[in-house]
Amino acid sequence: PNEKDSDGPVSAESLEYFSGDLHVYVPPQKTTGSISISVVGEGQGQRLNAKSELGILNIPLGAAITACIDSVEEHFDSQVKGDVVSPVYLRWFPLEDPKASRAIEGDRRVGSRPRESEKDSDNVFNDYLSPCIQLAMFWNPEVDFPDGERDDIPRGRPPPSGAAAQDPTSLVQEKPIHSSVVDQYFNADIGQVSFALIDSRKAVELVSGCICDINVRYWVTKAKTRFGVAVGWFQLDQQDDYAREPVILAPTPSEYVATVFQILAVKDNLRSKNDVLSFEFIDFSLVEFDLT
């Protein structure tokens, strides 16, 4: 960013963009997903133009946004101390072996999680020879518009250096913005909830279960009311020593990381009446489960 303009809020417009930058549009209340990156290498010689997957990386959107926000706060704190740091979150991320990261029944997605967290340098990982990739991320929240107004304004990123800023054709058009001033907002993140079924006579645990990565959101504007619930994992385990299978109920293994349960409802406040509720849409999804 331009250090001369660093006194004001840091925004995407203050950053210098390049042709290879990737812009990911995240709709409101849909930050429970993840960004999946696959790194492919090309070889020459005996295997001309042979391609092989070197590694994969899954970045949860919620964790990425939190890291970007913390990086901007550190940027503001560094201005006070006089040692200005970049507001961009720049780290080295370890790549996982595509074969070793396949989903396994009952592993609670441990196989899809990286063995190490991101680092400031590429030579501080425990496995020195493991492949890694450097990424720079910046989160740009939506701009507030007049209360109750829904704008279909095309998103655009700044033109390259030397281009006329007044030329509307120099902006790269992206998805439209749907923003409003938020009157009420509630967000709850629960890491894990565990429960068990116990035989009180014998004091023996029969069945245990867990619900992981629970996210609940409630968002109210003048025009819309949104409510969303997402569950990352649900599993029931058999605690009997002579059980045929240790896992009773668990999501079917899949190579794609997705929430096992999700519901999102958007109510139209302008059309809703006291006795009639008008919903713009109600979305419900449930993944396939294996019962043994």
Side-chain angles (χ1 to χ4, degrees), residues 6-25:
S6 59
D7 295 337
V10 178
S11 62
E13 287 73 12
S14 63
L15 301 177
E16 181 180 358
Y17 287 87
F18 300 92
S19 58
D21 291 345
L22 176 64
H23 298 257
V24 180
Y25 176 75

Side-chain angles (χ1 to χ4, degrees), residues 143-222:
V143 180
D144 289 337
F145 287 93
D147 192 9
E149 181 178 354
R150 178 170 179 171
D151 296 328
D152 293 332
I153 302 177
R155 292 168 55 90
R157 54 185 173 90
S161 301
Q166 294 80 7
D167 185 5
T169 60
S170 61
L171 295 178
V172 178
Q173 302 298 328
E174 298 178 0
K175 294 184 178 180
I177 295 177
H178 304 296
S179 300
S180 300
V181 176
V182 178
D183 296 332
Q184 300 178 20
Y185 181 78
F186 172 81
N187 181 27
D189 291 311
I190 304 175
Q192 179 174 329
V193 176
S194 301
F195 56 92
L197 177 63
I198 300 176
D199 187 348
S200 58
R201 294 183 179 181
K202 300 180 181 180
V204 176
E205 186 178 5
L206 303 177
V207 178
S208 65
C210 69
I211 305 175
C212 304
D213 300 332
I214 306 173
N215 179 266
V216 180
R217 299 192 180 192
Y218 181 72
W219 185 333
V220 179
T221 64
K222 183 177 179 180

